[in-house]
Amino acid sequence: MTHKLETQTVHAGTAPDPTTNARITPIYQTASYVFDDAGHAARLFGLQEFGNIYTRIMNPTNEALEGKITALEGGVGALAVASGHAAQLIAFYTLMEPGCNIVAAKKLYGGSLNQIGNAINKFGWEGRLVDADDPANVAGAIDEMTRCVFIESLANPGGVVQDIAALAKVAHDAGIPLIVDNTMASPTLCRPIEHGADIVIHSTTKFLNGHGNSIGGVIVDSGKFDWSASDKFPSLTQPNPSYHGVVLADALAPIGPISFIVGCRVLGLRDLGPAMAPFNAFLALTGMETLALRMERHCENALALATWLKVHPKVDWVSYAALEGDPYNALCAQYLGGKGGAVFTFGVKGGHEAGVKLVESVEVFSHLANIGDTRSLIIHPASTTHSQSSEEELVEAGAGPDVVRVSVGIEHIDDIIADMAQALDQI
Ligand SMILES: *Cc1c(COP(=O)(O)O)cnc(C)c1O
């Protein structure tokens, strides 16, 4: 019997511990695991049998987290890694060879713009950033060296919802997978695989963990993409020199459509190395038990604050997809059940100076660079995350001098609004 999402957030992946009967998944704080005998060791290393070898590659606490996220996203498997950025990098590494490119939405988390727009050039890859609001722009940027399309379902810093089904079609027409970063929406608002996504990425640092206490990332494989339909993905379909010539797609076919996520683990994570600490997996597992409850309150509070700000005399504009009349309101209804998440931006009258004054005047809100905490968070991008950018770049990135970003927490809405009111009064 498949349980409802709220039940899965509590139970999926976390049966009582098989060896101790502990109800809560223990923190398996071990670097390595004893082999039964030499034959067992050889089978594990040869991929003829799955099992624990070394915590860089797998760990039972991390495995519980992987199982929970797999269930919530409706995938066939997942891989937990050290951070959201590590998840992106390992997914790309499994799909790409030197000379290949990624077509990505321009409206992405700032760190992802940097990773895809600059950092990956050192691997001999290219990131092509386009306005994905119009799927034709994505189609136009794809060529025969493109290996994936990358978008965020609900884009950080908020307000932007992408047309997942239309972009999945564009990617599939070109024989490549759609990767959706679902960090901001979480599976309680959006399950990208149901709309055609092939791979889902999360920064568990944000809403999945939900308490701002550790960094983590996860890759989820839908199991739906046919890697063998072309010769574009040699890591999965060609003999692998680091596994005695094993072809992952063929070797794993009898078990299930899991060659991508196994490739991420046994090639990407094994060789690049950004493993998640089991303690961080434990914190993420604990946090995820309340995901559905928290998201409900996050969305309710964010909508109330956005509605209140929209008519405040010191506020110019509010960008929040759940607001009626917002340009992304229809896509928000289609993909997010009409909920806009916790994070949005607004413009204060008085530009840069007013933005700085606001973040210095709040008391309930914490002034910091994160989202997805139980606490309400605030940042003025132009003076922090985007302070190296020119005025033109600021506007292009949705981080103009007047822009303030909030991640609305789960405190009582009266206290959130009262704090914002007193801070705006000080401008
Ligand atoms: C934070 C974030 C990331 C990066 O995740 P880290 O865990 O900080 O590495 C990626 N995508 C989105 C949408 C994010 O908010």
Side-chain angles (χ1 to χ4, degrees), residues 139-373:
I142 293 174
D143 63 19
E144 68 279 13
M145 295 306 283
T146 307
R147 292 296 176 267
C148 61
V149 173
F150 184 90
I151 61 166
E152 293 174 4
S153 47
L154 175 61
N156 188 346
V160 173
V161 185
Q162 305 271 253
D163 191 343
I164 300 172
L167 293 163
K169 182 169 186 314
V170 166
H172 296 160
D173 285 350
I176 56 175
L178 174 68
I179 305 181
V180 177
D181 179 338
N182 200 31
T183 298
M184 291 258 296
S186 94
T188 67
L189 301 192
C190 180
R191 293 174 22 116
I193 291 171
E194 289 174 356
H195 303 291
D198 303 287
I199 297 162
V200 176
I201 300 275
H202 277 280
S203 165
T204 64
T205 315
K206 316 293 170 54
F207 295 97
L208 293 186
N209 175 305
H211 295 72
N213 59 25
S214 55
I215 303 283
V218 70
I219 307 163
V220 185
D221 184 354
S222 71
K224 290 183 178 161
F225 195 86
D226 182 3
W227 305 105
S228 303
S230 74
D231 58 5
K232 287 180 193 281
F233 307 102
S235 291
L236 304 178
T237 61
Q238 296 297 313
N240 212 291
S242 70
Y243 276 110
H244 316 297
V246 165
V247 175
L248 284 181
D250 297 345
L252 297 165
I255 304 169
I258 54 171
S259 60
F260 170 74
I261 201 67
V262 172
C264 286
R265 186 186 300 278
V266 304
L267 302 173
L269 185 56
R270 182 192 68 172
D271 296 342
L272 298 179
M276 178 185 271
F279 182 62
N280 287 355
F282 176 83
L283 292 172
L285 275 171
T286 306
M288 281 178 71
E289 295 186 6
T290 55
L291 175 69
L293 279 173
R294 283 186 286 105
M295 287 308 289
E296 238 173 78
R297 177 67 80 90
H298 276 302
C299 293
E300 195 183 298
N301 281 353
L303 179 61
L305 181 65
T307 305
W308 180 84
L309 283 169
K310 193 144 196 230
V311 294
H312 194 284
K314 289 191 178 167
V315 173
D316 249 341
W317 54 267
V318 176
S319 171
Y320 186 57
L323 282 178
E324 232 171 275
D326 186 275
Y328 296 96
N329 194 243
L331 287 171
C332 177
Q334 186 181 345
Y335 289 110
L336 307 175
K339 297 197 171 144
V343 180
F344 67 87
T345 52
F346 61 96
V348 278
K349 289 182 183 160
H352 193 281
E353 215 175 308
V356 169
K357 183 72 188 165
L358 181 68
V359 298
E360 285 184 339
S361 304
V362 287
E363 287 164 11
V364 172
F365 281 80
S366 298
H367 177 206
L368 54 74
N370 193 17
I371 58 167
D373 197 326

Side-chain angles (χ1 to χ4, degrees), residues 9 19 31 111-112 115 131 138 187 222 262 288 299 333 362 380 419 422:
T9 59
T19 53
S112 300
Q115 184 187 62
D131 183 352
V138 173
S222 71
V262 172
M288 281 178 71
C299 293
V362 287
H380 177 236
D419 189 41
Q422 66 79 24

Side-chain angles (χ1 to χ4, degrees), residues 29-156:
Q29 195 62 47
T30 183
S32 210
Y33 309 83
V34 177
F35 304 119
D36 297 339
D37 52 45
H40 179 222
R43 288 193 300 280
L44 291 179
F45 275 94
L47 284 186
Q48 284 129 8
E49 187 180 327
F50 286 128
N52 296 315
I53 298 175
Y54 187 61
T55 282
R56 170 155 32 80
I57 307 165
M58 60 200 297
N59 174 282
T61 315
N62 298 19
E63 193 182 349
L65 176 63
E66 290 158 358
K68 195 180 279 298
I69 298 179
T70 298
L72 292 177
E73 289 289 3
V76 295
L79 177 66
V81 294
S83 69
H85 269 6
Q88 294 165 203
L89 185 63
I90 286 184
F92 299 153
Y93 178 81
T94 307
L95 302 176
M96 313 264 288
E97 303 296 315
C100 292
N101 67 71
I102 299 169
V103 175
K106 227 188 226 181
K107 289 164 185 155
L108 293 181
Y109 170 65
S112 300
L113 288 176
N114 217 25
Q115 184 187 62
I116 295 170
N118 297 313
I120 63 169
N121 296 345
K122 289 201 172 190
F123 289 84
W125 306 335
E126 181 199 347
R128 300 180 175 177
L129 300 167
V130 300
D131 183 352
D133 284 3
D134 183 355
N137 294 337
V138 173
I142 293 174
D143 63 19
E144 68 279 13
M145 295 306 283
T146 307
R147 292 296 176 267
C148 61
V149 173
F150 184 90
I151 61 166
E152 293 174 4
S153 47
L154 175 61
N156 188 346

